[in-house]
Amino acid sequence: MRLVLMGDFHFSSMENGTEEMKAARDRVYAELLDRFLDMEGDYHISLGDLTHEGLPEEFEYVFGRMNRSERHFIHVLGNHDTYSIPKTDILAITGQERCRAIETEEAVLIFLDSTKEMNKECWGGEMDLDQLEWLEEQLVKSGEKPALVFAHHPVYGTTTRSTMDKLSIHPSIDMKAVLHKKKGPGFYFCGHNHANSIVRQEGWHYIMTAACLDYPAYRTVHVENGHVSVEMVPIGHPELAEQIARFHRNMKGFTPSEDFLGVETDWRLQINLLESVK
């Protein structure tokens, strides 16, 4: 099984942008989407903040491109996605689900919604009791098969900056207690903090991916024959950084990250599940 992961995408309608800014935006996002969809994978996954303001026209632009492809695209809600319209309206536009589980031959994929609804004042994550109970049920049911969990917000006290205010699922929600119900190997994928970061804690690997405007790249995940590999695939278009610089600092609510890259151990991961069991 091969997955292709997109970090925070932040497509913006840029209502107050100049024509030059909008032209640069169009070139950048067309290139990013083309590269994303060109990559082979069983599932193409957005880790949230697919849009910048959560406006219908922003969703319609991205999903218009996705729906013209033959890729199986799954969108995890991010806080920016939920700023402007109710979640029911978002799901009606996108045809997606708030949360879901997919069992494959190699692993169980679990998709969560860690966002608040229409709350621009607090961009931190939350998880209601029903979803926590559902998550625990899915993890227990997965048995020894690897579980790959996808959410927008990191778990508190794991990846880069996740102990800072509003940069994780709220620490009062004991996500680790639920995740540790898992008997086999677990992998938690997230975005939100605009940095590459990989941390191992108590049998779980926590994997955060940087924002596309900071670092134009995607992650691939392979699960096959008892091995899990996570790789970073940069988009080497020579003019992309120059085009991004024409607009991204003028997007209200987007601040370029200074330490998005991380270190080499934050870029890739190779796990032999058979050895880790021993």
Side-chain angles (χ1 to χ4, degrees):
M1 178 179 66
R2 189 173 195 264
L3 311 175
V4 184
L5 306 187
M6 169 194 291
D8 296 33
F9 196 63
H10 286 278
F11 176 77
S12 173
S13 62
M14 213 170 289
E15 293 178 347
N16 298 318
T18 65
E19 290 305 311
E20 180 184 6
M21 288 168 57
K22 291 180 179 180
R25 172 206 62 185
D26 291 346
R27 287 191 289 271
V28 166
Y29 282 108
E31 179 70 16
L32 291 174
L33 288 173
D34 285 347
R35 295 298 185 93
F36 182 64
L37 294 171
D38 282 347
M39 298 175 70
E40 291 296 326
D42 296 290
Y43 297 95
H44 285 60
I45 300 167
S46 161
L47 292 169
D49 284 1
L50 184 64
T51 65
H52 190 56
E53 291 289 339
L55 297 169
E57 55 265 35
E58 294 177 346
F59 286 110
E60 287 162 1
Y61 170 83
V62 181
F63 275 87
R65 298 291 297 271
M66 295 299 181
N67 293 339
R68 289 198 297 271
S69 76
E70 296 181 355
R71 300 303 187 192
H72 191 156
F73 178 62
I74 298 177
H75 170 226
V76 172
L77 287 171
N79 55 291
H80 279 259
D81 297 319
T82 61
Y83 277 165
S84 297
I85 59 176
K87 293 181 185 181
T88 53
D89 291 356
I90 297 171
L91 302 179
I93 293 170
T94 64
Q96 298 272 313
E97 302 174 54
R98 273 190 65 226
C99 53
R100 70 176 88 173
I102 300 172
E103 182 167 6
T104 73
E105 190 172 324
E106 299 90 356
V108 176
L109 313 180
I110 301 172
F111 302 90
L112 303 176
D113 172 17
S114 62
T115 66
K116 304 177 188 299
E117 185 165 63
M118 301 178 71
N119 187 341
K120 290 188 177 183
E121 303 305 317
C122 183
W123 51 88
E126 66 181 14
M127 194 74 52
D128 60 59
L129 182 58
D130 287 345
Q131 194 173 189
L132 286 172
E133 291 176 348
W134 176 83
L135 172 60
E136 181 175 331
E137 177 185 337
Q138 298 304 316
L139 291 172
V140 170
K141 189 167 66 173
S142 69
E144 297 293 332
K145 184 177 285 191
L148 280 60
V149 177
F150 304 87
H152 180 62
H153 294 83
V155 173
Y156 181 83
T158 57
T159 43
T160 295
R161 295 195 285 273
S162 63
T163 57
M164 297 175 67
D165 186 40
K166 301 184 184 71
L167 295 188
S168 72
I169 294 173
H170 197 277
S172 66
I173 301 170
D174 195 350
M175 287 293 295
K176 290 181 181 179
V178 177
L179 295 176
H180 291 164
K181 300 291 183 178
K182 171 67 182 162
K183 289 186 177 179
F187 301 83
Y188 184 99
F189 297 89
C190 65
H192 191 56
N193 291 356
H194 293 197
N196 295 316
S197 179
I198 297 178
V199 172
R200 180 173 182 176
Q201 292 181 0
E202 300 176 88
W204 276 81
H205 286 88
Y206 297 90
I207 302 152
M208 178 188 291
T209 298
C212 294
L213 293 182
D214 286 331
Y215 184 46
Y218 299 115
R219 285 197 192 268
T220 59
V221 183
H222 287 82
V223 185
E224 188 175 13
N225 298 328
H227 291 79
V228 176
S229 64
V230 180
E231 299 288 343
M232 186 67 68
V233 183
I235 301 171
H237 192 289
E239 298 180 0
L240 204 54
E242 176 190 340
Q243 294 295 328
I244 291 172
R246 294 187 180 201
F247 67 87
H248 76 322
R249 292 185 182 275
N250 294 304
M251 291 168 54
K252 185 178 179 181
F254 182 89
T255 303
S257 175
E258 298 298 328
D259 58 348
F260 58 83
L261 192 57
V263 297
E264 190 170 350
T265 53
D266 296 315
W267 306 340
R268 61 183 60 90
L269 180 68
Q270 299 281 342
I271 300 295
N272 184 331
L273 299 176
L274 301 178
E275 287 184 357
S276 64
V277 169
K278 294 176 184 179

